[in-house]
Amino acid sequence: MKHLITPIVAALALCTNGCTTRQPAFVRVENGHFTGAPAYYVGTNFWYGALMATEGPNCDRDRLCRELDSLKALGISNLRILVGSDGNTGVVSKVEPILQTAPGVYDDRALDGLDYLMAQLGKRRMHAVLYLTNAWEWSGGYCQYLEWSGRGTYPIPREVTWQTFVDYVAQFHEAEAADSCKIMLKNHIRHIVTRTNRYTGRPYRDDPAIFSWQLANEPRAFSEANKERFYEWVSRTAKLIKQLDPNHLVSTGSEGEVGCERDIELWRRIHALPEIDYTTIHIWPYNWSWIRKEGVEEDLPTACRNTDEYIRQHAEIARELRKPLVIEEFGYPRDGFRFEPGSPTTAREAYYRLVFDHVVRSAAAGDILAGCNFWGWGGEARPLHLRWQVGDAYCNDPAQEEQGLYSVFDCDHGIPDQIAQTNRTLDRYTRALDAPAGNRSPEALLGRLRKVAAEGKVLFGQQDFPFYGCHWAYEPGRCDVEACCGSYPAVLGCDLGEIELRTGRNLDGVPFDTMRREIVRHHERGGVTTLSWHPRNPLTGGDAWDVSDPNTVRAVLPGGKKHAEFLGWIDLAADFLNSLRTPDGSVVPVLFRPWHEHTGSWFWWGEGLCTPEEYRSLWKMTVARLRERGVECLTVYSPSSVEDEHEYLERYPGDAWVDVLGLDAYHAGDAAGFKARLDKSLGVMARIAAKNGKPYALTETGQEGIPTADWWTSVLLAGIGEHRPAYALVWRNAPQTVKPGHYYAPCPGHPSEADFKRFHDLDRTIFVSGTPAPKH
């Protein structure tokens, strides 16, 4: 039976897509995903949060609140935080103030700081991963417990050989479970986990601001002989925490294979424990000698390859365990291995983009990689010394490292922008997990495209079909396609070109008021709308096809002489998109497809008119501005026909900026050649879509005048073949008195009408019924 989207189905979609479920009080893991918090996220390491709230030389609660607000504005809600430091003051390489000054003896000011931080996180609906101790010396941790248990003063790694330090700290797991060093840590864990917050009056075990308790920062066995004892310690400690607090998740804080004595099976075993709720890895290209100090930029490809592989091998195990994977530490130095805030970070930005894209792709596919916490947020701090000293503002670089080595400061604009846009995309994909497929929201629309493609079906679309046809114009309800087959196209294509002129009409003369009305009407039928944009050349004043000046893109980017004016143009597009609402005020989500066919050079943004980086900057600037203006849409990236993945992705702005992969491919020349080119291009897209977890579509196609009578079944469908584009949109039917021969769908009496009816009747093609859905 013919697959139609009926008004009843559309109405049901509108109803079910509007339903919401109440979030649980605590974060949980269900079917390999986090619930009660974003299922996918970019978070940060903010280990010094509790220290900054502690009364003393470094106390700055005003700054703490400002930093939390800044992080929240970037979409960051997951912070990885040190509970506190142990031992004596004045120890080189150790952060202060001290929480536990002697075994079981706590500075109440530090406990107050931890309470204050947790209360502030709760107010902002943010979450903390609280690590209870540290395998490294910079907060005491293992080393301090060993010193307290009589093993002698612990060595500082930078003052002794690495092996000397390892031999010392390895004693922690050489010790039996009843040894005083382990008993002291056990008592510390009990003291913190059972604490009641003095600001909220709420026991920590009842605080939903806690994402998880973490055994330690980067716990290691520190020797081959210790591996079994290490496993047993993880098991005992996780069980203890679950007994003390059954409400919260428990995690290890492990680096992965590197932190398990290069034994990935040991990593599997500790994360297979039922008391461990999710898996963790850390990735450090410089610390692990993947890059050289003098090769930060040059060695980036090596760092990226190794990172890809490290994520892949751990994700495979996480899938088997059905537990989320979090990259909870990663960092990359500044260009030239510099430390000053605001100094260049081009290599770091590229590396962060790689990690972020892994998470976005996982979110798009509903896969196991749930999040990442970059190391880390330095915010408004400005280092005063190469190494941290008491009284200095906290960066995110611990006391043993150069201040500014890995910190992201608020003046490092490139990375904060990446974080904000990535979190906006991840928020959408998180919401898409629970959104029924439909057209009520961007998330539901994304689900619908995925569902259609998974079923091997194709939504049929046409540009401008409700506005005019071959022999008519502006007759409500009329449509050439509907006149031929009794159904409307499922996808309506419109164009915003010349909205920037404020004349009230687009470049093809369609009034924007009419366009708005028909988009809403099509939405209520259950249809989908996609909008392209052919803006005039802002530098020359010519149309979108004016390629006389190769500096146009550069002129509209930040710093260009047309930048401010062009932002105003984008705002006009945003105003129109935001005006697309149903009578009850609900948003009509659309597919927005800017800067299309850029692999050619016939538009002022085309390949020959700007560099790949300039094109990516244009795309990001446009989408970022729309998002700032509150536009609810999916974005579509659509070059012309391509030969390979490199050509398709050369100007790709990144997974956080694109929701749907598109392709514009028109029938020119002989049918066999067109079908071969289409098959190749769709094959390229299918491979990329499989990697990126995104649906793909044939965003423009057709044969002008349709001289081939059986073009629909023998050429278009044959060219699509076994590929699975979510939709295929043919171009417009221009009034023949205005533009003779310019039409891409049949009207009654056309030679291809009979074949089009066969195309319509196939179970594979999806149209919408002609009756508008009831008002709601």
Side-chain angles (χ1 to χ4, degrees):
M1 188 174 78
K2 175 63 207 159
H3 196 96
L4 285 176
I5 298 171
T6 66
I8 293 175
V9 172
L12 287 173
L14 292 172
C15 175
T16 56
N17 291 348
C19 298
T20 58
T21 57
R22 187 176 179 181
Q23 293 280 16
F26 300 102
V27 183
R28 297 279 187 255
V29 171
E30 295 179 5
N31 298 318
H33 295 109
F34 293 122
T35 64
Y40 299 95
Y41 62 87
V42 171
T44 190
N45 283 269
F46 193 65
W47 59 261
Y48 57 88
L51 278 64
M52 189 161 55
T54 298
E55 182 182 343
N58 291 88
C59 183
D60 193 341
R61 291 187 172 184
D62 288 341
R63 180 195 162 198
L64 172 65
C65 291
R66 290 194 303 273
E67 298 289 15
L68 294 180
D69 290 341
S70 295
L71 291 169
K72 188 71 174 178
L74 296 177
I76 292 175
S77 61
N78 187 289
L79 311 180
R80 189 164 171 269
I81 295 168
L82 171 71
V83 163
S85 193
D86 314 298
N88 299 321
T89 60
V91 177
V92 66
S93 296
K94 185 190 288 184
V95 297
E96 298 184 21
I98 303 299
L99 170 65
Q100 189 177 194
T101 57
V105 179
Y106 294 88
D107 186 331
D108 188 66
R109 297 174 300 175
L111 290 171
D112 185 82
L114 180 61
D115 288 349
Y116 181 84
L117 168 67
M118 294 307 302
Q120 293 300 317
L121 291 177
K123 288 180 180 179
R124 292 166 175 80
R125 298 179 65 84
M126 301 172 84
H127 291 98
V129 175
L130 294 173
Y131 48 98
L132 292 156
T133 191
N134 198 344
W136 306 111
E137 84 294 347
W138 56 267
S139 66
Y142 280 12
C143 291
Q144 190 60 63
Y145 289 109
L146 287 168
E147 184 175 304
W148 280 337
S149 67
R151 266 76 168 187
T153 302
Y154 70 78
I156 305 300
R158 77 183 197 204
E159 296 178 349
V160 297
T161 65
W162 174 249
Q163 193 58 49
T164 298
F165 172 77
V166 169
D167 289 345
Y168 182 89
V169 75
Q171 296 176 91
F172 185 82
H173 289 300
E174 289 169 1
E176 298 298 327
D179 191 281
S180 60
C181 69
K182 289 186 174 175
I183 296 298
M184 285 185 281
L185 175 55
K186 180 179 178 180
N187 291 338
H188 170 65
I189 292 171
R190 187 181 300 274
H191 187 81
I192 297 298
V193 174
T194 61
R195 179 172 176 76
T196 295
N197 189 310
R198 67 185 56 175
Y199 289 94
T200 65
R202 175 183 287 160
Y204 273 38
R205 66 175 175 269
D206 295 332
D207 188 352
I210 295 175
F211 187 91
S212 80
W213 293 109
Q214 194 157 91
L215 275 59
N217 176 54
E218 300 190 339
R220 289 187 176 190
F222 284 106
S223 75
E224 283 289 319
N226 277 346
K227 290 196 296 187
E228 195 60 31
R229 293 191 182 97
F230 170 68
Y231 170 80
E232 292 168 357
W233 174 79
V234 170
S235 178
R236 284 195 308 272
T237 307
K239 286 178 181 177
L240 170 65
I241 297 171
K242 284 291 189 183
Q243 289 167 1
L244 297 173
D245 177 3
N247 292 328
H248 288 108
L249 305 180
V250 175
S251 53
T252 64
S254 172
E255 302 150 274
E257 181 186 29
V258 168
C260 288
E261 311 310 317
R262 302 285 176 178
D263 183 349
I264 199 165
E265 184 57 31
L266 176 59
W267 184 83
R268 179 201 300 267
R269 290 179 65 208
I270 64 174
H271 288 97
L273 289 164
E275 295 79 15
I276 299 299
D277 294 292
Y278 62 95
T279 68
T280 68
I281 59 173
H282 300 181
I283 308 177
W284 291 102
Y286 173 67
N287 301 46
W288 295 352
S289 300
W290 292 354
I291 65 172
R292 300 159 296 151
K293 181 182 293 188
E294 65 276 11
V296 172
E297 297 103 313
E298 181 184 350
D299 296 345
L300 177 63
T302 299
C304 292
R305 285 194 300 272
N306 290 349
T307 296
D308 287 341
E309 176 58 21
Y310 201 73
I311 294 171
R312 184 200 62 76
Q313 63 178 340
H314 290 87
E316 284 184 359
I317 295 173
R319 287 188 199 99
E320 293 171 13
L321 298 177
R322 294 201 56 75
K323 295 182 180 183
L325 171 65
V326 176
I327 308 169
E328 59 174 18
E329 283 188 22
F330 68 95
Y332 204 85
R334 293 172 178 273
D335 296 355
F337 210 78
R338 297 169 64 182
F339 311 127
E340 312 86 49
S343 57
T345 57
T346 54
R348 177 185 287 182
E349 289 174 34
Y351 186 76
Y352 272 46
R353 185 163 55 249
L354 172 83
V355 177
F356 292 171
D357 279 355
H358 271 285
V359 181
V360 172
R361 293 176 183 184
S362 177
D367 202 3
I368 211 76
L369 178 56
C372 62
N373 296 72
F374 64 92
W375 187 286
W377 184 250
E380 63 185 58
R382 300 294 182 265
L384 296 177
H385 304 94
L386 183 63
R387 308 278 179 180
W388 184 83
Q389 298 179 20
V390 174
D392 289 354
Y394 293 109
C395 302
N396 203 79
D397 302 289
Q400 86 280 8
E401 290 183 336
E402 299 90 342
Q403 299 299 285
L405 174 60
Y406 290 121
S407 288
V408 174
F409 298 103
D410 57 10
C411 57
D412 298 329
H413 296 298
I415 287 175
D417 287 347
Q418 273 194 60
I419 294 165
Q421 299 303 330
T422 302
N423 270 327
R424 283 177 173 153
T425 299
L426 292 174
D427 177 62
R428 168 162 297 154
Y429 291 164
T430 292
R431 287 183 278 134
L433 288 175
D434 299 320
N439 68 349
R440 180 69 170 178
S441 66
E443 297 76 35
L445 181 53
L446 185 62
R448 180 174 176 183
L449 297 178
R450 290 172 174 168
K451 184 175 185 293
V452 166
E455 293 173 348
K457 300 183 184 297
V458 181
L459 295 161
F460 175 75
Q462 190 189 15
Q463 189 78 6
D464 280 2
F465 71 78
F467 310 132
Y468 48 76
C470 289
H471 307 295
W472 61 274
Y474 303 106
E475 298 180 25
R478 189 169 178 181
C479 168
D480 284 350
V481 165
E482 192 273 341
C484 287
C485 66
S487 302
Y488 288 97
V491 181
L492 164 60
C494 297
D495 195 88
L496 297 180
E498 298 191 1
I499 196 169
E500 64 278 4
L501 299 184
R502 302 174 186 261
T503 62
R505 297 176 178 271
N506 79 351
L507 75 170
D508 293 313
V510 179
F512 284 109
D513 286 345
T514 301
M515 186 184 298
R516 182 184 298 108
R517 183 174 61 251
E518 290 297 337
I519 289 173
V520 173
R521 181 176 294 167
H522 190 59
H523 171 77
E524 293 184 328
R525 292 187 189 109
V528 177
T529 295
T530 175
L531 290 115
S532 52
W533 189 19
H534 291 81
R536 296 187 70 84
N537 188 312
L539 192 60
T540 68
D543 61 22
W545 291 264
D546 181 353
V547 294
S548 60
D549 194 324
N551 298 306
T552 303
V553 171
R554 197 172 304 119
V556 302
L557 294 177
K561 63 182 180 180
K562 292 292 184 178
H563 176 63
E565 178 183 351
F566 195 72
L567 289 182
W569 289 14
I570 299 173
D571 289 347
L572 291 171
D575 290 343
F576 179 82
L577 294 172
N578 282 330
S579 75
L580 299 175
R581 294 184 179 272
T582 62
D584 68 358
S586 300
V587 171
V588 176
V590 298
L591 300 162
F592 183 57
R593 190 171 63 92
W595 319 129
H596 64 300
E597 299 180 10
H598 57 275
T599 44
S601 297
W602 45 85
F603 296 127
W604 57 258
W605 57 86
E607 183 179 37
L609 285 301
C610 60
T611 67
E613 183 54 42
E614 287 169 345
Y615 177 85
R616 288 190 289 267
S617 296
L618 173 65
W619 178 284
K620 292 177 182 179
M621 180 184 74
T622 304
V623 175
R625 187 73 171 189
L626 293 177
R627 288 174 171 177
E628 289 169 12
R629 296 294 300 271
V631 172
E632 291 284 332
C633 68
L634 299 180
T635 55
V636 186
Y637 170 85
S638 57
S640 301
S641 297
V642 295
E643 291 293 318
D644 53 37
E645 293 181 38
H646 172 76
E647 185 180 6
Y648 191 91
L649 295 173
E650 184 183 22
R651 297 178 179 234
Y652 185 65
D655 286 333
W657 301 88
V658 174
D659 298 307
V660 180
L661 304 178
L663 173 76
D664 289 7
Y666 285 93
H667 181 166
D670 65 280
F674 167 70
K675 288 189 288 186
R677 290 190 301 273
L678 183 59
D679 175 66
K680 175 178 274 190
S681 293
L682 289 175
V684 168
M685 293 173 68
R687 290 190 294 273
I688 296 171
K691 295 175 187 175
N692 295 17
K694 299 181 186 296
Y696 65 99
L698 188 51
T699 43
E700 285 186 35
T701 191
Q703 184 182 32
E704 188 175 39
I706 329 170
T708 308
D710 61 351
W711 187 83
W712 302 100
T713 57
S714 69
V715 179
L716 179 59
L717 272 186
I720 292 174
E722 297 301 313
H723 300 298
R724 297 193 170 197
Y727 70 87
L729 180 141
V730 298
W731 204 239
R732 68 195 185 111
N733 282 10
Q736 294 306 286
T737 56
V738 176
K739 198 169 184 179
H742 188 71
Y743 60 91
Y744 291 82
C747 60
H750 188 273
S752 75
E753 182 182 7
D755 188 60
F756 185 76
K757 289 178 180 178
R758 287 191 290 270
F759 173 82
H760 165 271
D761 292 342
L762 293 170
D763 187 55
R764 186 176 186 186
T765 58
I766 300 176
F767 290 68
V768 296
S769 75
T771 305
K775 300 297 183 184
H776 52 82

